Amino acid sequence: MHWEAGRLSEVTVLFADCRGYTRLTHELGIEKLTPITEEFFKRSAAIIREHHGIVDHFLGDAVMALFNVPIKHDDHVLRAVTAAFRIQEAVDGINGKLHDALQLAVGIGIATGTALATNMGSTNCSEYTMVGDSINIASRLQGKAASGEILVTDEAYKAISAAFPDAVRVEYLVKGISQPIAARRLSRGPAP
């Protein structure tokens, strides 16, 4: 099911990215790493769907998910955050089956804002997606997130602050955005 192209919608975006993937590919070879990556994608996609999000992209070693489109949910930020915790738990489960030299590590960024549904690409090859600051900010935040860490923008945090009253506030300067991005670092405790 797709939402209408050209429509602005409030969306919560989740980016989850594997850390040290290039090093692991070089050290282990893509043949050994591919099944682990596929397991990460499979588990992440199932978790995202369980929380009524949609997987928009698999980007190399990362996943981008959208919440609150096409079906609206008042608790879309909480759904994204809960999915993020579950993804980190899934990574722990994957790592439990691997040897110490090969451990997957994932950082996650979450942002909420207005985005535009559109077809991107060319006449011969296009893809239906959403574009906007919230997508870019979520991507930049996941780049700042340490292994096992979940960063959410202050805007997204407002919707979940009661569940995470002790979340540490941080600011990051990120590429392409002139002002620092204010975010909250969520602990790896149990999801609300």
Side-chain angles (χ1 to χ4, degrees):
M1 177 192 312
H2 287 295
W3 53 102
E4 184 181 344
R7 183 179 183 142
L8 285 170
S9 297
E10 182 180 25
V11 64
T12 295
V13 184
L14 178 154
F15 265 93
D17 183 67
C18 297
R19 300 293 181 249
Y21 196 81
T22 302
R23 178 188 58 81
L24 288 173
T25 302
H26 181 71
E27 290 176 6
L28 301 171
I30 197 65
E31 297 85 7
K32 289 183 181 176
L33 199 53
T34 296
I36 298 161
T37 307
E38 287 175 357
E39 185 67 15
F40 166 66
F41 284 153
K42 184 169 56 172
R43 289 190 188 198
S44 296
I47 290 165
I48 290 160
R49 283 191 304 272
E50 285 172 20
H51 292 86
H52 301 270
I54 59 170
V55 174
D56 188 69
H57 288 88
F58 291 116
L59 308 155
D61 61 346
V63 61
M64 174 185 158
L66 305 171
F67 294 81
N68 206 40
V69 289
I71 298 169
K72 304 293 182 198
H73 294 279
D74 290 340
D75 61 346
H76 55 95
V77 175
L78 183 60
R79 289 171 185 266
V81 168
T82 304
F85 278 106
R86 295 266 323 277
I87 289 169
Q88 292 292 15
E89 290 169 8
V91 169
D92 291 343
I94 292 167
N95 284 338
K97 298 176 183 176
L98 303 173
H99 56 79
D100 290 340
L102 174 60
Q103 292 289 295
L104 205 55
V106 172
I108 298 176
I110 297 173
T112 296
T114 303
L116 178 70
T118 187
N119 285 303
M120 295 292 285
S122 68
T123 309
N124 298 328
C125 181
S126 68
E127 145 177 303
Y128 197 75
T129 189
M130 295 197 83
V131 295
D133 280 346
S134 54
I135 285 83
N136 296 331
I137 291 169
S139 175
R140 299 289 190 243
L141 273 184
Q142 69 78 22
K144 297 293 185 180
S147 297
E149 193 169 67
I150 300 167
L151 294 175
V152 299
T153 59
D154 265 0
E155 185 65 28
Y157 179 72
K158 290 175 188 174
I160 58 162
S161 60
F164 299 93
D166 299 324
V168 175
R169 188 176 189 277
V170 291
E171 287 189 0
Y172 297 103
L173 285 171
V174 298
K175 179 181 173 185
I177 299 173
S178 59
Q179 299 297 318
I181 300 297
R184 299 293 176 135
R185 185 180 295 128
L186 303 183
S187 67
R188 287 267 331 259

